[in-house]
Amino acid sequence: MVEPYPLAERIWQLAYLYQEWYYWVTVIVMFLIHVGFCTYEVGVSRRKNVGHTLMKNAMLFPLIIFTFYIFGWWVYAAFSGPHWSTFLIPGQYPEIVDPADYAPWSPLMTTHMQDHFMLAFWAAFLLFSLTEGSILSGAVIERCRVGAFLLMSVFLGSFVWIWLASQAWSPWGWTVKYFGSHDAYASGIIHTIAGWYTLGVLINLGPRIGRFDEKGNPRDVPLHNQWLTCIGLFLIYTGFWGFYFACNIPTALAWDPTMEMSYWGTVNIYGNPTSNSAIGTNFLLSLTGGFMGGFFASKGNPFWIFSGGLAGVIAASAGNDLYHPMQAFLLGFITIPIIYKLHYWVEKRFKIDDAVGACAVHGYSGVLGLIYAGILLWGYPAGGGPLGFDELQGVTTPWGNFMLAVWEAGWAFLFGFGASWIFKKLGLLRVPPLVELAGLDIASPAVGEMYPYFPPYRPEDFSEIDKVQGIEAHRILLKAKQGSKPGRNLLLNINAYSKDTGRKDYLGVPSPEDLIKDAIRLQKEFEERGELRW
């Protein structure tokens, strides 16, 4: 007769199975982040580009999923280790984390009855990777080529962020050991990296046609569907519940050799004790603070109220494992006016056309979140992990988190700028100006009209900007391409729209002459620099 398992071993087995189930539930919930991003971006994009915007984001899924399985997960293990040189030389500490176990040919990366945890943890990190690509996606809508965007997204989602995460988002990361960095829910690891990578891309990509006049004064570009944008952000909030819980390890045993005691329960990614109730409460309070801050900063603009809620969560995420709920609320509230002003200052000063405010909501909020956590959690354990709280890591420090913010933002910006610069020089970064003017959907026969059953509008129903984009632009494109079919009418009908108070000094929507002049100017510039490919 086979002896039954001892009770203690059965408890461990149940805990192990619970962890597997726990992570796959968070993965399902996190999927809503990407449903939300697709919805959100389609709402921001103008009607003539909504199909292109939707498919551009949707194609992130297969490419990042495939590449993250092939090499992204291996990068996380290969560049992990407690010595600073690991960011350059992979595989130095196989006794801590063996890169061979994370490679696609590893037995642990397939059906394995003795290890249920590896693939569950891979899936959680995969959804983080998809978030990186989606953050970039919104900022570059309406003028970026699909091929260039997808390759830059794969580079960001399957290498850049996970390479930086290996150094700072594990109990054995060298930034945790040497500097005491603390970023429990990825203010830096996800959002700072994606936001500053995006900023580097936007510098080379340039603004949309008509976004600035000849003197550099910004013009307003109305959203296609503000209601859809707000619903998308609500879905992103919902998915972020899964994101937060996926950053924790449930039913874990943490051991502190200095106090000769153990802790059984939930720990963060560094191995330090926390609880899901604590982070859930802080999530809600930081979201609430961001909502209120967005209302205060924008004087009630829906886009910034909802974006402010997301930015509030991001600003508190680095320390939401240990913050008091009122700290989380206040950090969410005070951050939004800061990033709101920064967004418009950068836009006007450097002519950056960030269609969804991704650099501000993710990049600037992420940096502030790291700085907040370094100050408010100064002296708290930076990392615990399998070797104990004191054997590997020290305590959280302000300089450690500031250093981490500079390190992540700097590398991300350089990678984003470098990748986009290469595509720009090859003439593969941006669509031709005349195609952009007519609409990316009409230039993509496989996409076509996304509203085929809408009744036709009379020309007098359209604003000036829509007349030129829907009528004059089609005529120019038809002439330029000598016989290509302009396709069905893609005109918008936006006569009244919500205007953000941050744009109170903006010029009105560009006239037909302004848009044509800007498109011709860009066409000539691209041709002269050899940056145009039909």
Side-chain angles (χ1 to χ4, degrees):
M1 180 178 179
V2 178
E3 292 293 328
Y5 287 115
L7 179 60
E9 188 171 343
R10 289 191 177 190
I11 293 174
W12 274 108
Q13 289 174 341
L14 286 173
Y16 198 60
L17 291 173
Y18 169 72
Q19 286 181 341
E20 179 190 15
W21 173 84
Y22 172 95
Y23 279 109
W24 282 106
V25 170
T26 65
V27 167
I28 294 169
V29 176
M30 278 194 287
F31 200 83
L32 289 174
I33 293 175
H34 311 291
V35 176
F37 269 115
C38 282
T39 307
Y40 167 58
E41 291 172 24
V42 167
V44 173
S45 179
R46 288 167 289 180
R47 178 176 168 179
K48 62 180 182 177
N49 299 315
V50 293
H52 182 273
T53 298
L54 174 63
M55 296 313 299
K56 173 175 63 66
N57 197 327
M59 285 305 297
L60 286 173
F61 283 74
L63 289 175
I64 292 184
I65 290 172
F66 179 75
T67 55
F68 195 75
Y69 184 85
I70 295 299
F71 62 84
W73 192 223
W74 175 87
V75 169
Y76 181 67
F79 292 93
S80 292
H83 193 271
W84 65 268
S85 63
T86 53
F87 90 96
L88 284 175
I89 306 171
Q92 294 188 58
Y93 293 91
E95 69 278 8
I96 295 178
V97 52
D98 189 353
D101 291 339
Y102 292 67
W105 51 82
S106 167
L108 300 181
M109 292 298 290
T110 183
T111 305
H112 197 291
M113 294 298 101
Q114 280 70 51
D115 188 305
H116 299 194
F117 189 73
M118 177 66 84
L119 288 176
F121 215 39
W122 167 82
F125 272 70
L126 168 66
L127 270 293
F128 303 155
S129 296
L130 290 169
T131 301
E132 294 281 332
S134 288
I135 292 169
L136 171 64
S137 177
V140 302
I141 58 173
E142 302 193 312
R143 74 267 200 207
C144 189
R145 287 181 182 267
V146 173
F149 162 73
L150 291 175
L151 289 173
M152 289 188 294
S153 296
V154 167
F155 183 47
L156 171 62
S158 291
F159 178 75
V160 175
W161 95 270
I162 196 69
W163 175 70
L164 289 166
S166 69
Q167 304 161 46
W169 214 34
S170 69
W172 45 78
W174 67 268
T175 66
V176 184
K177 175 183 179 181
Y178 286 111
F179 298 103
S181 62
H182 184 98
D183 186 16
Y185 303 106
S187 290
I189 296 301
I190 297 294
H191 303 286
T192 296
I193 293 170
W196 286 84
Y197 183 96
T198 298
L199 182 61
V201 171
L202 290 175
I203 289 173
N204 285 310
L205 182 63
R208 288 167 288 177
I209 290 174
R211 189 66 174 79
F212 298 91
D213 70 2
E214 293 178 347
K215 297 180 180 179
N217 298 311
R219 293 190 180 100
D220 205 1
V221 177
L223 306 183
H224 154 240
N225 189 324
Q226 193 157 210
W227 178 85
L228 197 62
T229 300
C230 294
I231 292 298
L233 281 162
F234 255 126
L235 290 169
I236 293 172
Y237 302 156
T238 307
F240 259 80
W241 282 104
F243 180 96
Y244 255 53
F245 294 134
C247 294
N248 282 347
I249 304 173
T251 59
L253 181 65
W255 172 253
D256 186 345
T258 62
M259 300 179 65
E260 296 187 354
M261 62 179 294
S262 61
Y263 165 82
W264 170 257
T266 299
V267 299
N268 63 21
I269 198 165
Y270 300 108
N272 288 337
T274 185
S275 75
N276 285 332
S277 294
I279 68 166
T281 302
N282 286 344
F283 176 93
L284 286 172
L285 267 293
S286 57
L287 176 68
T288 301
F291 256 91
M292 293 184 181
F295 184 92
F296 171 78
S298 69
K299 305 297 188 294
N301 177 259
F303 178 82
W304 276 103
I305 292 173
F306 282 79
S307 294
L310 180 58
V313 173
I314 294 166
S317 288
N320 258 351
D321 55 329
L322 294 172
Y323 286 153
H324 187 280
M326 287 309 299
Q327 287 179 310
F329 170 81
L330 290 173
L331 293 179
F333 182 84
I334 67 174
T335 297
I336 312 310
I338 298 172
I339 66 159
Y340 181 82
K341 295 293 184 182
L342 274 174
H343 169 75
Y344 287 114
W345 179 81
V346 170
E347 182 178 85
K348 295 174 183 177
R349 177 67 178 81
F350 300 103
K351 309 301 179 288
I352 300 296
D353 181 13
D354 182 353
V356 297
C359 297
V361 171
H362 299 276
Y364 310 157
S365 294
V367 168
L368 290 172
L370 288 173
I371 294 172
Y372 297 152
I375 296 170
L376 296 176
L377 301 182
W378 192 354
Y380 279 84
L387 302 183
F389 294 148
D390 71 336
E391 292 186 21
L392 198 59
Q393 283 22 297
V395 296
T396 303
T397 63
W399 51 88
N401 268 30
F402 180 78
M403 184 283 303
L404 183 62
V406 173
W407 179 260
E408 292 175 342
W411 277 111
F413 178 84
L414 288 174
F415 279 128
F417 184 89
S420 58
W421 182 85
I422 292 171
F423 284 114
K424 180 180 179 180
K425 290 304 177 182
L426 293 173
L428 299 174
L429 181 62
R430 183 166 176 154
V431 301
L434 296 178
V435 173
E436 179 185 345
L437 196 60
L440 276 65
D441 289 357
I442 205 170
S444 305
V447 177
E449 170 66 88
M450 296 297 283
Y451 294 93
Y453 300 109
F454 269 39
Y457 296 113
R458 298 171 301 170
E460 56 267 28
D461 290 335
F462 297 104
S463 65
E464 286 299 304
I465 187 173
D466 301 325
K467 287 179 183 177
V468 68
Q469 290 172 343
I471 300 173
E472 191 69 13
H474 289 174
R475 181 183 63 78
I476 293 173
L477 182 62
L478 181 63
K479 182 179 178 181
K481 300 199 73 173
Q482 299 179 350
S484 62
K485 295 181 180 179
R488 292 179 290 273
N489 199 329
L490 296 176
L491 297 180
L492 304 171
N493 182 26
I494 306 175
N495 296 314
Y497 54 89
S498 173
K499 190 155 185 176
D500 177 12
T501 56
R503 301 178 181 181
K504 61 182 182 296
D505 57 346
Y506 276 32
L507 301 175
V509 294
S511 68
E513 294 77 13
D514 292 330
L515 285 171
I516 298 299
K517 189 185 299 183
D518 203 17
I520 293 172
R521 177 186 60 80
L522 285 173
Q523 185 90 8
K524 290 180 178 178
E525 288 181 4
F526 291 164
E527 289 174 350
E528 289 171 359
R529 295 197 298 260
E531 297 172 1
L532 184 63
R533 298 287 186 276
W534 281 97

